[in-house]
Amino acid sequence: MSIRHGLLALLEPGARYGSRLRTEFQERTGGTWPLNIGQVYTTLGRLERDGLVVQEGVDEAGRVLYALTEAGRTELRAWFTRPVQRSSPPRDELAIKLVMAVGAPGVDIREVVGAQRRHVAEALHGYVRQRAEALARAHEHPQEMARLLVLEQLVFHAEAESRWLDVCEVRLLRLSRDGGAAGAPE
């Protein structure tokens, strides 16, 4: 997740202070990716160091306002036009867990898969419900469209994880039938 570029995008309409940026980021993403206020200010400091934002005075409450520089606008436009690279996928805890569970003594990998499958089913149910709510409100509240897009991604990721767990289960069953260790306790 690019907090750096997300903050630049939120500064595009005008100067903001850190806690407002945090609130707007969380609203825009439907609360899916909460930000720590320290993370916001650390990122703002780096953006300032890199010449992408500047401090632009303080508001009536004494909060420091940050604004985009021309270099920040250029970086933001470039970010919007660049595809997100998938060449080095992030580490996935579930994949690591399953890889480590294969053949691990005392671990029944089928139980690991089953527990994850139940969790994904619950999460998917929740995302689908939230998506329906956001869809119903999207026409009245334009900010719901951003939340709807995030929820769509969560639904698709959960569906993909569920399909991947199906494949894992089939492979493990085949492995155990062929006489290999499937990670079941002996």
Side-chain angles (χ1 to χ4, degrees):
M1 162 180 46
S2 180
I3 296 167
R4 173 183 177 94
H5 290 98
L7 295 181
L8 290 175
L10 292 171
L11 287 169
E12 176 75 25
R16 306 268 193 289
Y17 53 89
S19 60
R20 181 171 175 198
L21 288 167
R22 175 181 176 251
T23 300
E24 288 182 17
F25 185 93
Q26 291 180 169
E27 286 174 354
R28 193 75 68 92
T29 62
T32 304
W33 298 298
L35 284 180
N36 176 301
I37 193 64
Q39 196 174 15
V40 171
Y41 282 107
T42 298
T43 304
L44 285 170
R46 289 181 183 139
L47 290 169
E48 187 175 16
R49 176 200 67 203
D50 296 343
L52 303 177
V53 302
V54 292
Q55 291 186 21
E56 192 175 84
V58 295
D59 68 3
E60 58 280 350
R63 296 174 290 218
V64 175
L65 296 171
Y66 293 86
L68 278 181
T69 63
E70 195 51 46
R73 280 184 175 65
T74 300
E75 174 59 26
L76 180 60
R77 284 190 297 272
W79 179 62
F80 279 132
T81 60
R82 270 192 313 265
V84 174
Q85 295 297 314
R86 302 289 187 207
S87 58
S88 54
R91 288 184 185 98
D92 182 281
E93 183 179 354
L94 177 58
I96 293 169
K97 181 188 284 190
L98 291 180
V99 166
M100 297 300 165
V102 171
V107 177
D108 185 342
I109 194 166
R110 290 172 293 247
E111 287 180 15
V112 176
V113 170
Q116 188 66 29
R117 184 186 310 285
R118 288 185 296 279
H119 171 73
V120 170
E122 284 178 28
L124 181 58
H125 178 74
Y127 297 149
V128 168
R129 181 183 46 75
Q130 291 175 54
R131 178 181 64 182
E133 293 166 1
L135 189 57
R137 291 191 302 254
H139 298 294
E140 301 165 17
H141 306 286
Q143 72 274 15
E144 283 296 312
M145 184 54 67
R147 182 170 177 258
L148 181 60
L149 294 175
V150 171
L151 288 166
E152 289 286 6
Q153 183 196 36
L154 293 172
V155 166
F156 292 139
H157 278 250
E159 289 173 343
E161 184 173 308
S162 181
R163 287 192 308 271
W164 180 65
L165 289 169
D166 290 344
V167 169
C168 289
E169 192 169 56
V170 166
R171 295 210 188 283
L172 292 167
L173 285 172
R174 193 171 295 145
L175 179 65
S176 65
R177 270 186 273 145
D178 294 344
E186 298 181 290

